[in-house]
Each structure stands twice: as structure tokens, then as C-alpha cells.
């Protein structure tokens, strides 16, 4: 079965700054192995991507090392209002960190949020990490200035209910949900292994996400690799790798009749392309074996994380081949696209 190349609007490639966790070559190898041909990378790198110089640095590294196509977000900061808006065309979107998570980019002052909501072009993606009550404030702000806002990794019953109500009211809100929030509860992992933002929810949270599938515009991995040593250590950072498990998990849910293949493709390709204004890729597709049964394991995966929260899960549905702009980029477990093969979607 042939499907379009998938698009992940939320990944962390860790380059520059933390290439022991991931780099553009390893992260985009993981993307291709997972059936993704376009990824949008978050700005919480070191240095963070917040101005012309850091965007250029990160874009140059991506251009050299990425094996699939990519875009780079800018991070909203305390003093980059005008500068960020000027760079809108060169970036995939503007990311606002409104709650504490991994990295230095949290914005506390709501007047600053408002200024960014106003300064950023309404026709370019604006994405917020906003949990719980912060989400309510972010939705209000988008409504006040009457602009689109995309909510990253919705994870709880409260949050999906709020997004649903906002959509019913006609607010220009879209949202994504990560596979780990659809397939895991907080009781499934222990200690540092469970650390992720937003945190894993309860059974009720997971059920509410599935019950509100119609409200979910995209499935985004929030691929946030940290090494096994870091996760097992004294100060475990939040985040899970996800690029190489997302599609098999979703295809297994299709096999179980929890949603349709079309539901999956809309949320991992069509809607993402529309919401984020991502250019089409000619001669690009993914060949799937829908019946192939296999076991998820970090062994054989391409991410530098070296572990997966889904270790040992029996799944159905395998990526056989990925063709990227006319050339085979992945086949039978082997990544063929070289670093530098990827193109920037915002060139
Ligand atoms: C992300 C990371 O590690 O960069 N961590 C996470 O738990 N999701 C940051 C984020 O997406 O909030
Ligand atoms: Zn986040
Ligand atoms: Zn993230």
C-alpha cells in the first residue's frame, strides 16, 4: 500500500548544542525510517533559535546534515518581537513556550505573549506549548486578537474539552496530539522514564483524547530524544523519542478498528500540510506493509536516544520503502538518503 510521505510538525533535533542526544543526520534517519519525509524542528536548541544569527546557524547545520526535508521554528523570546516577525518567511513558524519544559525559552509575562500574538503574521504558523489553565489563557489571547493558533501536544481531558469548545465557538484553534498521550498512561512507565511534558495522563485522559478524535487536527510525535543514561540519572530531562514508533502504533490502532487509515493520513499528512503551509513534495511516497507484524525495539532504530517507551510492543504495519523526490531514501530497514539530501521548506 502506497501512502504520501508523512509530515511531523513537532520534532527536536538537538543540533546545535546537544548532539549526543540527536543530530540532524540521526534524527532525519529516524524520520525516514518512520515514514516521515518532512519535519518541523523546534527552537529549544543550544543556542536557541531566536534571531537571524541563530536561525542561520541552525539552518546551515540542517542543510549539511538533514536526510529529509525540514523547516525550523523560531522561538518567541523577551526581546525578539520585531526581529521574529521579520524572519517569518525563513522559518516554519513561531513557537511560544508558555509553561516550563526542557530548555530556556519559557515566557511568563502575558503582555509579551500578546505582543507576539500581534506581531507575528497571521498567515504564518503560531504554535504554543500551553498546558491546563495556560491553554485557556492562550486560547483567549488568540480570540482577542482574532488569529490562528496551533496547540502543541494536547494531553488531557480538560485540554481537549477546551479545544473542542473553542472550535465550536469558531475560534481559529488547531491542535495536535502525540502518540505517547494516546497509547500510554502515567502508570505505564516509572521514574525518569515517565518524564515528559505534558505529563502522561490517566486512563480518563487517554479515553477522552480517543473520544474526541474529530477535534484532533494532527498527530505529532514531539520526538524529544534524551539518552537512556540521562533518563535513568538523578535529574531526568522530560521527553520521549517518537519518530520511529508513531506510524506503527497508529497502523496497529487501524488494524484494531479504533480509527481508519484515512483518519491517520489526514492527521499525519493532509491537515499538517494545510495548517502549516508546507509545500508539496513531487515523486515522494511511502510503501507500507500493513499486515507485517513486528516488535518495537530501540535496537535497530536510528535515533541516538537508544531507548523507546514502547519497547517490546507488538505492532502491525511496517514502512518498507520511502521515496523522497524521486530517489529511494529508505528501504527494508536501511537509510539510503545521505546527510545533505534534505531541503529546507522555507527557502
Ligand atoms: C521537549 C524537549 O525535550 O525538548 N520535552 C518534552 O517533554 N516534550 C520539550 C517540549 O516539547 O515541551
Ligand atoms: Zn512542549
Ligand atoms: Zn516538543
Amino acid at each position: 500500500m502506497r501512502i504520501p510521505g508523512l509530515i511531523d510538525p513537532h520534532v527536536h533535533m538537538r543540533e546545535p548544542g546537544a548532539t549526543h542526544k540527536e543530530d540532524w543526520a540521526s534524527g532525519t534517519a529516524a524520520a525516514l525510517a518512520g515514514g516521515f519525509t518532512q519535519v518541523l524542528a523546534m527552537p529549544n536548541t543550544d543556542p536557541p533559535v531566536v534571531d537571524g544569527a541563530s536561525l542561520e546557524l541552525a539552518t546551515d547545520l540542517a542543510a549539511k546534515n538533514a536526510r529529509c526535508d525540514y523547516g525550523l521554528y523560531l522561538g518567541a523570546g523577551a526581546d525578539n518581537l520585531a526581529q521574529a516577525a521579520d524572519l517569518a518567511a525563513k522559518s516554519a513558524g513561531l513557537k511560544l513556550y508558555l509553561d516550563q519544559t526542557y530548555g530556556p525559552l519559557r515566557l511568563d509575562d502575558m503582555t509579551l505573549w500578546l505582543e507576539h500574538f500581534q506581531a507575528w503574521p497571521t498567515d504564518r504558523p503560531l504554535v504554543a506549548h500551553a498546558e491546563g489553565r495556560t491553554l485557556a489563557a492562550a486560547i483567549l489571547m488568540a480570540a482577542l486578537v482574532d488569529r490562528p493558533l496551533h496547540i502543541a501536544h494536547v494531553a488531557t481531558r480538560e485540554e481537549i474539552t477546551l479545544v473542542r469548545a473553542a472550535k465550536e465557538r469558531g475560534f481559529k484553534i488547531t491542535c495536535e496530539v502525540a502518540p505517547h498521550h494516546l497509547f500510554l498512561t502515567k502508570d505505564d512507565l516509572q521514574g525518569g522514564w515517565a518524564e515528559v511534558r505534558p505529563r502522561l495522563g490517566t486512563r480518563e485522559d487517554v479515553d477522552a483524547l480517543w473520544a474526541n478524535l474529530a477535534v484532533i487536527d494532527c498527530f505529532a510525535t514531539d520526538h524529544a530524544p534524551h539518552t537512556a543514561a540521562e533518563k535513568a540519572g538523578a535529574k531526568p530531562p522530560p521527553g520521549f523519542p517518537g519518530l520511529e514508533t508513531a506510524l506503527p502504533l497508529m497502523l496497529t490502532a487501524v488494524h484494531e478498528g479504533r480509527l481508519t487509515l484515512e483518519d491517520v493520513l489526514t492527521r499525519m499528512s493532509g491537515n499538517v500540510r494545510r495548517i502549516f503551509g508546507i509545500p508539496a513534495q513531487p515523486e515522494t511516497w511511502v510503501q507500507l506493509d500493513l499486515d507485517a507484524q513486528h516488535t518495537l525495539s530501540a535496537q535497530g532504530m536510528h535515533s541516538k536516544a537508544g531507548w523507546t517507551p514502547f519497547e517490546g510492543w507488538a505492532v502491525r504495519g511496517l514502512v518498507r520503502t520511502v521515496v523522497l523526490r524521486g530517489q529511494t531514501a529508505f528501504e527494508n530497514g536501511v537509510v539510503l538518503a545521505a546527510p545533505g539530501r534534505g531541503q529546507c521548506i522555507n527557502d
Side-chain angles (χ1 to χ4, degrees):
M1 154 111 216
R2 190 185 274 197
I3 63 167
L6 303 180
I7 313 167
D8 192 342
H10 189 154
V11 302
H12 299 268
M13 290 300 174
R14 307 303 191 203
E15 185 177 10
T19 51
H20 66 288
K21 297 175 192 278
E22 200 75 287
D23 58 31
W24 277 98
S26 62
T28 52
L32 289 167
F36 296 93
T37 55
Q38 289 168 315
V39 296
L40 304 186
M42 288 298 170
N44 63 338
T45 46
D46 184 11
V49 177
V50 288
D51 56 19
S54 49
L55 179 63
E56 193 175 314
L57 172 71
T59 305
D60 284 352
L61 290 166
K64 259 195 217 102
N65 298 321
R67 303 173 195 264
C68 71
D69 294 351
Y70 55 88
L72 278 84
Y73 286 96
L74 277 166
D79 32 48
N80 70 349
L81 267 177
Q83 218 176 353
D86 284 346
L87 294 166
K90 289 187 174 172
S91 69
L94 183 70
K95 177 68 181 287
L96 293 99
Y97 289 94
L98 305 181
D99 292 299
Q100 190 52 49
T101 184
Y102 182 72
L105 287 172
R106 181 166 63 129
L107 295 183
D108 263 337
D109 180 356
M110 280 200 282
T111 42
L112 194 56
W113 307 7
L114 190 56
E115 286 168 340
H116 274 295
F117 274 54
Q118 285 165 330
W120 188 251
T122 49
D123 62 350
R124 299 295 301 148
L126 182 68
V127 180
H129 176 131
E131 304 180 33
R133 292 175 188 201
T134 309
L135 173 59
I139 289 174
L140 172 66
M141 210 158 276
L144 288 175
V145 305
D146 186 27
R147 67 153 302 139
L149 173 66
H150 180 81
I151 309 298
H153 44 45
V154 168
T156 64
R157 187 176 65 93
E158 263 189 314
E159 290 165 1
I160 198 71
T161 305
L162 210 54
V163 170
R164 181 193 196 104
K167 286 186 171 198
E168 283 170 2
R169 189 73 172 79
F171 298 163
K172 296 162 184 158
I173 302 295
T174 53
C175 77
E176 71 194 31
V177 171
H180 49 268
H181 292 121
L182 287 168
F183 292 97
L184 296 171
T185 73
K186 62 184 177 53
D187 302 319
D188 291 328
L189 297 167
Q190 270 71 49
W193 304 103
E195 285 295 341
V196 66
R197 298 294 176 276
R199 291 185 169 84
L200 295 175
T202 62
R203 174 54 53 197
E204 289 69 44
D205 290 320
V206 172
D207 290 347
L209 294 177
W210 282 100
N212 285 285
L213 197 62
V215 182
I216 302 172
D217 300 283
C218 311
F219 298 135
T221 67
D222 189 12
H223 178 79
H226 301 286
T227 65
E230 289 166 336
K231 297 297 277 182
K235 274 195 113 194
F240 298 161
L243 280 167
E244 291 167 271
T245 47
L247 183 59
L249 289 167
M250 297 313 310
L251 293 177
T252 305
V254 169
H255 182 76
E256 291 167 352
R258 305 181 75 183
L259 77 178
T260 66
L261 183 59
E262 198 193 328
D263 288 332
V264 173
L265 297 181
T266 319
R267 287 164 182 76
M268 296 181 84
S269 168
N271 284 355
V272 191
R273 191 175 296 294
R274 178 175 50 79
I275 292 168
F276 292 85
I278 293 172
Q281 296 170 296
E283 288 185 78
T284 298
W285 67 84
V286 175
Q287 187 71 35
L288 296 179
D289 182 341
L290 287 176
D291 292 320
Q293 302 188 35
H294 58 115
T295 303
L296 295 177
S297 171
Q299 276 207 348
M301 287 187 190
H302 301 78
S303 169
K304 288 190 188 179
W307 71 283
T308 165
F310 302 102
E311 184 71 35
W313 283 43
V315 292
R316 200 181 259 261
L318 190 69
V319 174
R320 281 274 175 235
T321 309
V322 178
V323 174
L324 171 63
R325 287 182 277 100
Q327 285 177 27
T328 304
F330 175 86
E331 195 154 44
N332 294 326
V334 181
V335 175
L336 300 170
R341 170 90 176 95
Q343 290 182 355
C344 184
I345 64 168
N346 301 112
D347 259 356

